[in-house]
């Protein structure tokens, strides 16, 4: 049975037994996730984390021709301020106050919808849920039914509560569920000559890198839902096939498109490094019956990369990777090929789907550091200091604590990491970072008393 039969998406914890609290070794993590259900853990102290509302807002803000209404207190609308570098999207707040949480905020929501439509003339309006509305249980659907016919565009509720999931990627699932249920065209007789490229968290540089390859191979495509229009989302069901840039984020959308709308899902790994990009393109080429063209393109790209590739650039360097679990394999393989010794990794979550990645980590010893956590910089700092890490390779922001512990950061923020171009960019980024090694004189952000504790001091087995 399709998940679309449900009113809203299940949390990753309920759907895939997602775990977002673990601190130990790779061997311990593999053992912990080996069953049909993953045992949950808790943190007795949590430093910082993001939630599914933030993730949902981020991807919705990249959809063209739409408006976001943050249905909650004005503080929740700080999400919009955090995205102020984006000029192409508009958001409104219902600005619910204490009185509204008691008597209901329907009138404010109605006013916000009408104002958004009158001022911006969008092709769709997304109503983003917040903890205030989740607790108050306002009847959002009655407002939607009342106004949708009047203004003549889809008004779509995004059921983000902000506290029911510890796995923020649930926000992508919630957005996916609503887009498929209320926007994607269900009356499709014929497929068209293009593919869907699923992207949720990728920056524009990574999407452009893959887009450039597809253009050179004369493959028609559209990117969903990030950087897409409402019309492109509608016709997702008309595609010949779907590929996903980050499987742990886009699998839900791709699988539902296949099950409900008959759009084949071409499963592959993230296109990171030479081998990852090669595997991604070969699977796509095989499906589209253009293998010879793809192989010729790969051979040409390999020749160009070989001229720049220096296998020992990370010789004698201890490396730690901080990235999505589905990307750790690609990054780790590349960094190891560059001569680095990868001693550990951290990822936001592990679940019944992406846990299969763990057994591919042949570049790691069984006792390598494994941290599963949403945020939690203090746990990473603990391991950085104890294990004398040289290079901290991270796709996340807020890494100032890393340099305080004597390591240098190689950040992928706003840099290309996908495709063959990504190999060159990563190598260049490592070269720049190595020039900074040993020049840091900062004092640690954490007291010695904390760092003397074991890394899993605050991570406990959950008692049912």
């Amino acid at each position: 049975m399709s998940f679309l039969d449900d009113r809203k998406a299940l949390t990753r914890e309920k759907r895939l037994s997602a775990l977002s609290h673990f601190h130990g070794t790779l061997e311990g993590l593999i053992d912990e996730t080996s069953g049909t259900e993953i045992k949950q853990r808790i943190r007795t102290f949590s430093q910082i984390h993001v939630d599914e509302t933030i993730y949902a807002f981020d991807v919705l803000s990249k959809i063209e021709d739409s408006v976001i209404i943050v249905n909650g207190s004005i503080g929740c609308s700080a999400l919009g301020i955090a995205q102020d570098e984006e000029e192409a999207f508009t958001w409104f707040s219902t600005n619910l106050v204490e009185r509204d949480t008691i008597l209901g905020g329907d009138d404010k929501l109605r006013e916000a919808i009408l104002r958004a439509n009158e001022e911006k003339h969008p092709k769709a309006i997304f109503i983003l849920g917040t903890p205030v509305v989740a607790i108050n249980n306002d009847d959002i659907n009655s407002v939607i039914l009342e106004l949708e016919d009047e203004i003549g565009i889809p008004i779509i509720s995004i059921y983000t509560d902000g506290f029911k999931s510890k796995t923020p990627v649930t926000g992508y699932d919630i957005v996916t569920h609503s887009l498929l249920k209320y926007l994607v065209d269900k009356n499709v007789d014929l497929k068209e000559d293009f593919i869907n490229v699923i992207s949720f968290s990728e920056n524009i540089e990574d999407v452009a890198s893959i887009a450039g390859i597809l253009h050179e191979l004369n493959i028609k495509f559209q990117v969903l839902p990030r950087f897409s229009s409402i019309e492109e989302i509608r016709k997702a069901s008309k595609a010949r096939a779907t590929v996903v840039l980050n499987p742990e984020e886009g699998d839900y959308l791709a699988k539902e498109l296949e099950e409900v709308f008959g759009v084949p899902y071409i499963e592959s790994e993230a296109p990171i490094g030479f081998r990852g990009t090669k595997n991604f393109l070969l699977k796509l080429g095989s499906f589209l019956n253009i293998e010879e063209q793809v192989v010729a393109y790969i051979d040409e790209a390999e020749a160009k990369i070989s001229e720049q590739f220096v296998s020992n650039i990370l010789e004698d360097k201890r490396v730690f990777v901080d990235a999505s679990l589905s990307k750790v394999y690609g990054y780790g393989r590349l960094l190891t090929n560059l001569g680095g010794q990868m001693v550990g990794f951290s990822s936001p979550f592990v679940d019944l789907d992406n846990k299969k990645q763990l057994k591919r980590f042949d570049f790691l010893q069984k006792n390598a550091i494994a941290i599963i956590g949403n945020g939690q910089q203090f746990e990473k700092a603990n391991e950085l200091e104890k294990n004398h890490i040289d290079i901290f390779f991270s796709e996340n922001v807020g890494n100032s604590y890393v340099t305080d512990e004597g390591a240098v950061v190689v950040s992928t923020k706003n840099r290309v990491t996908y495709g063959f171009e990504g190999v060159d960019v990563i190598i260049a980024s490592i070269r720049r970072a190595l020039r900074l090694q040993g020049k840091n004189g900062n004092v640690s952000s954490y007291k010695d008393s904390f760092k003397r504790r074991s890394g899993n001091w605050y991570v406990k087995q959950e008692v049912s």
Side-chain angles (χ1 to χ4, degrees):
M1 184 182 72
S2 168
F3 289 117
L4 296 189
D5 294 330
D6 300 327
R7 184 175 71 94
K8 60 181 180 178
L10 296 173
T11 64
R12 281 290 175 102
E13 286 85 354
K14 290 184 177 180
R15 185 165 67 87
L16 292 172
S17 194
L19 174 69
S20 56
H21 304 299
F22 181 85
H23 193 128
T25 65
L26 173 61
E27 183 178 33
L29 183 58
I30 292 174
D31 180 66
E32 188 111 342
T33 59
S34 61
T36 56
E37 184 177 348
I38 300 175
K39 295 179 182 179
Q40 294 298 303
R41 290 177 175 267
I42 60 173
R43 276 189 170 83
T44 56
F45 170 71
S46 183
Q47 182 185 20
I48 188 172
H49 68 274
V50 294
D51 61 32
E52 78 269 17
T53 306
I54 294 173
Y55 272 41
F57 188 97
D58 176 65
V59 70
L60 290 173
S61 71
K62 305 300 188 298
I63 297 177
E64 301 172 7
D65 314 323
S66 66
V67 165
I68 305 170
I69 295 176
V70 182
N71 193 20
S73 63
I74 193 64
C76 294
S77 298
L79 293 170
I81 298 173
Q83 295 279 351
D84 62 359
E85 76 277 5
E86 301 288 341
E87 299 179 356
F89 85 101
T90 302
W91 58 274
F92 293 80
S93 171
T94 51
N95 188 22
L96 301 183
V97 296
E98 185 176 2
R99 184 175 187 276
D100 302 315
T101 64
I102 299 171
L103 301 179
D106 293 358
D107 289 341
K108 285 189 172 182
L109 177 59
R110 190 178 294 106
E111 178 184 351
I113 292 172
L114 293 173
R115 179 183 170 189
N117 183 62
E118 180 180 352
E119 292 185 7
K120 299 299 177 180
H121 307 291
K123 293 183 179 179
I125 294 175
F126 298 109
I127 301 174
L128 187 70
T130 61
V132 173
V133 176
I135 295 171
N136 191 38
N137 200 29
D138 274 2
D139 188 6
I140 296 172
N141 286 334
S142 65
V143 179
I144 291 175
L145 290 173
E146 175 189 341
L147 294 180
E148 201 164 37
D149 288 339
E150 178 181 335
I151 66 176
I153 61 172
I155 306 172
I156 301 169
S157 183
I158 308 296
Y159 294 98
T160 47
D161 297 328
F163 57 85
K164 291 184 179 178
S165 175
K166 298 181 180 69
T167 313
V169 75
T170 291
Y172 295 151
D173 296 347
I174 293 170
V175 170
T176 288
H177 193 91
S178 293
L179 295 180
L180 289 170
K181 197 174 182 73
Y182 301 112
L183 269 185
V184 175
D185 190 353
K186 297 175 176 60
N187 301 311
V188 180
D189 296 325
L190 296 174
K191 299 298 182 183
E192 298 182 9
D193 185 23
F194 70 91
I195 64 169
N196 296 318
V197 178
I198 305 301
S199 169
F200 277 94
S201 67
E202 282 77 19
N203 57 43
I204 190 66
E205 291 82 5
D206 273 334
V207 173
S209 176
I210 299 302
I213 294 174
L214 298 180
H215 279 306
E216 289 198 45
L217 293 172
N218 295 314
I219 299 173
K220 297 178 181 178
F221 66 95
Q222 63 175 20
V223 180
L224 300 174
R226 204 172 181 85
F227 312 119
S228 66
S229 66
I230 295 299
E231 184 56 37
E232 287 171 329
I233 293 172
R234 286 187 188 280
K235 68 176 188 177
S237 55
K238 299 180 181 181
R240 292 179 62 186
T242 298
V243 293
V244 176
L245 298 183
N246 185 342
E248 68 183 35
E249 296 174 352
D251 262 5
Y252 190 163
L253 178 49
K255 288 178 178 178
E256 290 296 290
L257 280 171
E258 182 172 59
E259 180 177 351
V260 179
F261 302 97
V263 180
Y265 174 24
I266 307 171
E267 296 190 49
S268 183
E269 62 183 283
I272 294 172
F274 178 78
R275 194 186 305 176
T277 304
K278 177 181 177 179
N279 293 341
F280 179 88
L281 292 177
L282 287 175
K283 287 198 173 185
L284 181 57
S286 176
F287 179 88
L288 298 176
N289 295 316
I290 55 171
E291 295 101 321
E292 291 185 8
Q293 183 181 349
V294 169
V295 169
Y297 179 84
I298 291 172
D299 289 343
E300 183 180 351
E302 182 179 21
K304 292 179 180 178
I305 290 177
S306 297
E307 295 175 2
Q308 304 294 329
F309 199 90
V310 180
S311 61
N312 63 349
I313 189 175
L314 287 174
E315 188 176 4
D316 298 326
K317 302 299 181 185
R318 294 167 62 82
V319 182
F320 188 95
V321 174
D322 179 37
S324 303
L325 196 61
S326 59
K327 295 183 180 180
V328 170
Y329 177 64
Y331 289 140
R333 182 176 54 200
L334 175 59
L335 297 172
T336 302
N337 287 339
L338 290 170
Q341 178 191 357
M342 187 168 160
V343 297
F345 69 94
S346 58
S347 296
F349 72 96
V350 59
D351 62 23
L352 295 175
D353 268 2
N354 69 7
K355 71 174 186 178
K356 59 179 179 272
Q357 296 288 339
L358 297 172
K359 294 185 178 180
R360 303 177 71 198
F361 293 175
D362 53 4
F363 44 78
L364 281 173
Q365 296 182 354
K366 290 184 178 180
N367 65 346
I369 308 159
I371 301 175
I372 302 297
N374 173 10
Q376 316 312 324
Q377 285 93 327
F378 56 86
E379 291 185 20
K380 299 170 193 175
N382 184 297
E383 295 294 348
L384 288 171
E385 192 271 340
K386 290 179 178 177
N387 291 278
H388 307 291
I389 307 299
D390 298 304
I391 303 292
F392 187 84
F393 189 94
S394 178
E395 65 178 7
N396 299 306
V397 296
N399 293 316
S400 61
Y401 69 95
V402 174
T403 56
D404 293 344
E405 301 303 330
V408 294
V409 178
V410 176
S411 173
T412 67
K413 180 68 174 175
N414 297 327
R415 291 177 181 165
V416 179
T417 58
Y418 283 175
F420 300 120
E421 181 185 358
V423 178
D424 289 335
V425 172
I426 288 173
I427 291 174
S429 298
I430 290 172
R431 287 185 182 279
R432 285 193 295 269
L434 289 175
R435 288 198 291 268
L436 298 174
Q437 193 170 22
K439 295 182 180 181
N440 173 60
N442 294 348
V443 178
S444 174
S445 304
Y446 301 98
K447 292 182 177 180
D448 290 340
S449 58
F450 159 74
K451 291 191 291 185
R452 282 196 295 268
R453 296 176 176 175
S454 62
N456 61 1
W457 183 269
Y458 297 108
V459 182
K460 310 299 180 185
Q461 185 73 50
E462 188 170 66
V463 179
S464 58

